[in-house]
Amino acid sequence: MVDDKLRTPGAVRDAERWTAHNYHPLPVVISSAEGAWLTDVDGRRYLDFLAGYSALNFGHRHPQLIAAAHAQLDRLTLTSRAFIHDQFADFCRELAELCGKDLVLPMNTGAEAVETGIKVARKWGYQVKGVPAGQANIVVAEGNFHGRTTTIVSFSTDEDARADFGPYTPGFTVVPYGDLAALTAAIDENTVAVLLEPIQGEQGVVVPPEGYLPGVRQVCTERDVLFIADEIQSGLGRTGATFACDHEGVVPDMYLLGKALGGGIVPVSAVAANADVLGVLKPGQHGSTFGGNPLACAVATEVVRLLATGEFQRRSAELGERLRAGLEGLVGKGLVEVRVRGLWAGLDIDPALMSGREACERLAARGVLAKDTHGSTIRLAPPLVITEEEIDLAVTQLAEVLAG
Ligand SMILES: *Cc1c(COP(=O)(O)O)cnc(C)c1O
């Protein structure tokens, strides 16, 4: 990029000059987007194969979501939960129905939904299960990603995410992911919840062995422990079903939702559970100034309506098979392994060939944006509005990158 007419190099420099370096973004500077396509400040177009880590499941600026946001901006944007607004009930009812649960508690970011789940599980443990005060524990998995708060990083097994952020919050037991015997052995009389991603996204779209999630469900039921499914990245159509748990016919006690719930417009997260669980919260015990605000509710209600048609789940399942076929064709040709569930794929590149970062840089130069998760692993998560031809285009570009 020596062409001094390009705006990108200066824009990259400026962005790095004025921010903490808690991210290492690809050197592209996006200025507009529509559907599955991004355009940078120099007019170059890129196919989006990250979709905001699944926050953009419906693509950029989905017309129905943008219309809902515009209409709401012109009427009412914020009341706080001190007053009720006219978008609140529909959102909560429709999301609760989508989840098959009695109640919804809206928050903003995914991490807040996780924190809410932890707080509710602990209170449920003391008030309903009868755990002695201060003794509650929650079983979590190695390789987890649940967000960035001090409590959540306390039980991360990623040293980058955790190191030097202590003292850590106690009350969590970490077990290997996908190992039902280890999880069962870790549950004791003070265990209030098992908190898992049904598929580990940040870890590289790691799918647990078949039967694991039903096994977790069963042991939770038997031992009077809440099963909390963090579907913040896996949920809302990404895997070819409304929830990743659906693939194994599993219904958790609590769904944690975020990312795509905000339609790629505003941060919206939520916890959905039945009244015997969420009912433990009384006024003053938990809250959020922005949680469930009118703009968030207006957009998220349209997200729920898009999902209620089943169209996006179907697209994800069908197009996911095309993505799978394309990627499996590259195993042995630069890829060591691929894991695909719907339009969600984890690729392990032969580490002798190049790092995930290098592959993503080369893909970007060819007009496809994706992001490495760690080492030589890349996650692909295109918007669910992507077409067959666009999937083929991305697979072709990946093949050429891997061929050197
Ligand atoms: C992204 C993510 C979170 C955290 O969401 P934020 O909105 O970034 O706080 C939590 N859990 C999972 C599984 C995620 O993918």
Side-chain angles (χ1 to χ4, degrees), residues 18-253:
W18 296 105
T19 184
H21 288 179
N22 58 326
Y23 279 91
H24 183 28
L26 291 171
V28 293
V29 183
I30 305 302
S31 60
S32 64
E34 185 158 1
W37 289 90
L38 301 157
T39 304
D40 77 5
V41 290
D42 291 308
R44 289 174 295 212
R45 298 181 77 224
Y46 303 86
L47 202 44
D48 187 350
F49 258 72
L50 181 63
Y53 301 92
S54 289
L56 288 152
N57 278 3
F58 310 96
H60 295 269
R61 298 170 51 246
H62 187 288
Q64 197 172 324
L65 303 179
I66 293 293
H70 278 154
Q72 193 58 42
L73 279 172
D74 287 338
R75 278 199 304 266
L76 176 72
T77 55
L78 191 66
T79 56
S80 86
R81 293 286 306 278
F83 316 121
I84 301 169
H85 62 78
D86 65 0
Q87 302 297 306
F88 192 73
D90 281 350
F91 165 64
C92 294
R93 176 176 48 78
E94 292 182 38
L95 181 59
E97 285 171 1
L98 186 80
C99 296
K101 296 293 184 192
D102 299 339
L103 302 175
V104 156
L105 194 167
M107 297 293 283
N108 310 284
T109 64
E112 287 174 301
V114 175
E115 289 277 355
T116 301
I118 291 168
K119 288 174 73 176
V120 168
R122 285 178 169 182
K123 198 173 263 298
W124 172 89
Y126 299 125
Q127 298 195 339
V128 179
K129 181 166 175 169
V131 171
Q135 298 300 307
N137 73 72
I138 294 176
V139 178
V140 298
E142 279 175 10
N144 70 73
F145 182 85
H146 297 290
R148 302 292 197 171
T149 66
T150 44
T151 285
I152 293 170
V153 301
S154 293
F155 57 87
S156 172
T157 57
D158 172 352
E159 270 309 290
D160 283 341
R162 184 184 140 91
D164 293 335
F165 294 126
Y168 301 111
T169 305
F172 299 92
T173 309
V174 185
V175 297
Y177 187 64
D179 181 340
L180 185 60
L183 181 135
T184 304
I187 292 175
D188 64 24
E189 68 279 10
N190 295 331
T191 303
V192 295
V194 169
L195 167 62
L196 292 176
E197 298 155 86
I199 295 176
Q200 289 187 328
E202 292 305 306
Q203 191 58 21
V205 191
V206 173
V207 183
E210 212 181 313
Y212 177 67
L213 296 174
V216 173
R217 173 67 278 177
Q218 192 183 344
V219 71
C220 284
T221 303
E222 287 168 3
R223 305 288 297 275
D224 197 19
V225 168
L226 300 177
F227 181 4
I228 307 176
D230 181 345
E231 293 255 16
I232 289 167
Q233 192 168 157
S234 59
L236 309 182
R238 174 53 56 193
T239 66
T242 304
F243 303 110
C245 284
D246 295 349
H247 291 288
E248 298 231 39
V250 163
V251 179
D253 297 295

Side-chain angles (χ1 to χ4, degrees), residues 248-278:
E248 298 231 39
V250 163
V251 179
D253 297 295
M254 221 190 276
Y255 288 106
L256 308 181
L257 303 173
K259 291 200 166 99
L261 191 56
I265 300 174
V266 280
V268 186
S269 68
V271 171
N274 281 339
D276 57 339
V277 176
L278 268 183

